[in-house]
Amino acid sequence: MFIIGATQKVLRELQITATEDVKVSKSLNEWHLNLFKIGRYQCLILINDITLYSVVIPGVKKKDLANIGAVLSYHLAENLLAEGIDPVLIEKFLEQGNEIVFTKTHNRSVVGVIVEIVKFIQIQYPTGKDILAADPVALNKINNDFIYSPTKYGYPNKMIKEEITAVCS
């Protein structure tokens, strides 16, 4: 089960209420999700609470939000494959996310990293139209090759690889 701390904007767009009785336990299955705009285009950002590995999904439409679980799984798998993680391990990891529980955001430092990544993307793609032409995997590789202050261990792309290998092997 993936526990996703969603911002109020995401909860409103998905038309769901946050589950209150989920215990947060600092596991690899805990994520945060935010919705932001670049120009007139909506984008999602999914970020892991432990590794701060992020996946930005540009050009999200209403139909994508209606099928949020499949959209997140697809883009997460695509980015993890680009990081060189074994497809068998990715499949095992994503099986844990077959069920998604949405909660309110529960980690302010992770939300702060989301804000940093969104600012970086807004500087890279100021008009919004150019983000649709960009390669999302390349964009995410750049975002995950920075060390963010809440992590004490290293780069998000290396940390997610180590964590998935340890948990799913």
Side-chain angles (χ1 to χ4, degrees):
M1 168 174 55
F2 280 177
I3 299 170
I4 299 179
T7 60
Q8 290 296 321
K9 193 182 299 184
V10 172
L11 293 173
R12 245 190 334 270
E13 282 291 321
L14 294 176
Q15 299 176 350
I16 58 173
T17 56
T19 305
E20 299 288 333
D21 60 345
V22 176
K23 189 174 185 178
V24 179
S25 62
K26 298 253 186 203
S27 76
L28 191 60
N29 294 340
E30 292 176 14
W31 300 79
H32 272 74
L33 183 68
N34 189 25
L35 185 67
F36 65 98
K37 279 188 146 182
I38 302 250
R40 59 186 193 118
Y41 302 101
Q42 290 192 82
C43 304
L44 281 171
I45 180 169
L46 178 71
I47 187 167
N48 185 268
D49 287 7
I50 293 176
T51 64
L52 298 180
Y53 185 81
S54 63
V55 176
V56 175
I57 307 168
V60 177
K61 297 185 166 78
K62 282 265 190 207
K63 64 179 175 136
D64 298 327
L65 294 174
N67 197 9
I68 192 74
V71 169
L72 294 177
S73 293
Y74 170 77
H75 286 282
L76 183 57
E78 183 178 46
N79 283 280
L80 292 174
L81 273 172
E83 295 295 347
I85 299 174
D86 183 11
V88 174
L89 295 178
I90 294 172
E91 189 175 326
K92 284 182 183 178
F93 178 65
L94 291 177
E95 281 176 8
Q96 298 172 12
N98 282 342
E99 181 187 349
I100 297 176
V101 175
F102 289 98
T103 65
K104 292 181 180 179
T105 56
H106 48 268
N107 189 329
R108 291 183 71 152
S109 62
V110 173
V111 174
V113 172
I114 289 173
V115 170
E116 291 290 321
I117 293 171
V118 169
K119 284 180 185 176
F120 179 69
I121 292 170
Q122 288 171 334
I123 290 169
Q124 279 186 302
Y125 305 99
T127 64
K129 284 187 178 181
D130 44 356
I131 197 165
L132 295 179
D135 178 17
V137 173
L139 169 69
N140 289 317
K141 279 186 130 337
I142 292 168
N143 290 339
N144 289 306
D145 207 20
F146 289 115
I147 296 177
Y148 299 102
S149 61
T151 55
K152 296 170 181 64
Y153 305 106
Y155 297 98
N157 53 2
K158 291 183 175 96
M159 291 173 55
I160 194 79
K161 192 173 190 177
E162 291 169 4
E163 291 288 331
I164 289 177
T165 303
V167 169
C168 298
S169 291

